[in-house]
Amino acid sequence: MTGTPASPGPETTAKPLVAGFIYPDHAAEDDYPLAEKLLGGDVALPVEHIYGTDLHAVAELLDLGSPARLAEGAALLAPHNPAAVVWACTSGSFVYGWDGAAEQVAKLSAAAGGLPASSTSFAFVRAAAALGLRKVAVAASYPDDVSTLFVEFLGRGGVEVLSMSAADIDTAAEVGELSPDAVVELIVSRDHPEADAVLVPDTAMRTLSLIDTVEQRLGKPVLTANQVTVWEGLRLAGATPRVQGLGALFHQEGA
């Protein structure tokens, strides 16, 4: 007996790729909806906030990146059903050192139910490797002692820092208030002639709308904190689209 063919069901719309981000306090989180817009409708980049002091000082940064705070962030992200989660804070991850930052990420993954997890500090190392960068200049907004810890972290990841400048800005809120012209000048003025790229390690700094401008000025790649964080989240979630407007990192083959 031949049955009647089933009628086709309703047309389904592909769900967007979701990478979730835990962002400390408030400063430059509007970089994430900007990235989402540039990446198109196939990507969702939800951001949830955790709160602590925004002081760029070691003890305060260790508290900000503590397992309890990141577990709180993972719980806030859970309703978004992300495919991966990233701690969107550079100083609150590299301040733990390489091994401590790896343990931080492992605990975040566990708190997120086993999802792939990472942090902005590891995102810098992996983005540099993806672009084949070996020698870099660092344009840091932090005080010198905190900036030095980032240099040490990069060294553990195989990235040599030829020059590092610290703008000595005490809080993330102050960084978030920098004008676009001030951000461009901070980055361009910290270049080194032999550096393969300039790294800008503060997620409190609005940079996504400026990356192409700065790369054109310098004639080399620029990696910024929110840029590499978005890239890392998408990489862990399963895709890194090639798009215009987010710098050389999003132009590479395989992205």
Side-chain angles (χ1 to χ4, degrees):
M1 183 176 178
T2 304
T4 304
S7 59
E11 191 172 318
T12 58
T13 302
K15 292 183 179 180
L17 185 72
V18 182
F21 303 91
I22 302 170
Y23 192 93
D25 294 281
H26 295 274
E29 65 268 28
D30 44 354
D31 267 357
Y32 292 83
L34 174 59
E36 189 176 280
K37 180 179 178 181
L38 291 170
L39 288 160
D42 295 334
V43 167
L45 308 175
V47 176
E48 294 290 351
H49 297 266
I50 59 172
Y51 297 94
T53 178
D54 71 344
L55 189 64
H56 290 148
V58 172
E60 285 78 4
L61 291 168
L62 288 170
D63 176 70
L64 186 62
S66 67
R69 291 190 188 277
L70 295 191
E72 177 187 350
L76 291 170
L77 280 173
H80 298 284
N81 295 314
V85 296
V86 183
W87 170 219
C89 183
T90 326
S91 54
S93 46
F94 69 67
V95 73
Y96 281 83
W98 186 272
D99 294 337
E103 182 180 358
Q104 180 188 58
V105 165
K107 289 181 178 179
L108 173 57
S109 175
L115 290 176
S118 189
S119 66
T120 305
S121 294
F122 285 118
F124 269 110
V125 171
R126 289 170 184 142
L131 289 175
L133 308 176
R134 294 292 178 266
K135 298 181 179 182
V136 304
V138 170
S141 55
Y142 317 120
D144 187 74
D145 61 332
V146 175
S147 302
T148 298
L149 295 176
F150 182 56
V151 172
E152 293 173 0
F153 190 93
L154 292 174
R156 280 290 305 272
V159 181
E160 180 183 354
V161 176
L162 298 180
S163 64
M164 183 276 287
S165 58
D168 202 29
I169 301 175
D170 287 329
T171 68
E174 292 174 272
V175 175
E177 293 171 356
L178 292 173
S179 70
D181 287 346
V183 171
V184 169
E185 181 58 29
L186 185 151
I187 299 170
V188 170
S189 64
R190 269 65 172 187
D191 186 25
H192 186 285
E194 297 179 17
D196 301 327
V198 178
L199 274 54
V200 189
D202 196 340
T203 59
M205 189 182 295
R206 291 180 177 85
T207 59
L208 258 65
S209 65
L210 306 173
I211 293 172
D212 282 358
T213 297
V214 177
E215 288 190 338
Q216 290 169 9
R217 287 269 302 270
L218 294 175
K220 64 181 64 174
V222 172
L223 297 181
T224 75
N226 289 324
Q227 174 210 34
V228 301
T229 302
V230 169
W231 178 86
E232 178 78 336
L234 292 174
R235 184 188 71 82
L236 291 176
T240 47
R242 296 184 69 187
V243 295
Q244 299 297 316
L246 288 173
L249 181 61
F250 280 86
H251 296 173
Q252 60 164 331
E253 292 296 331

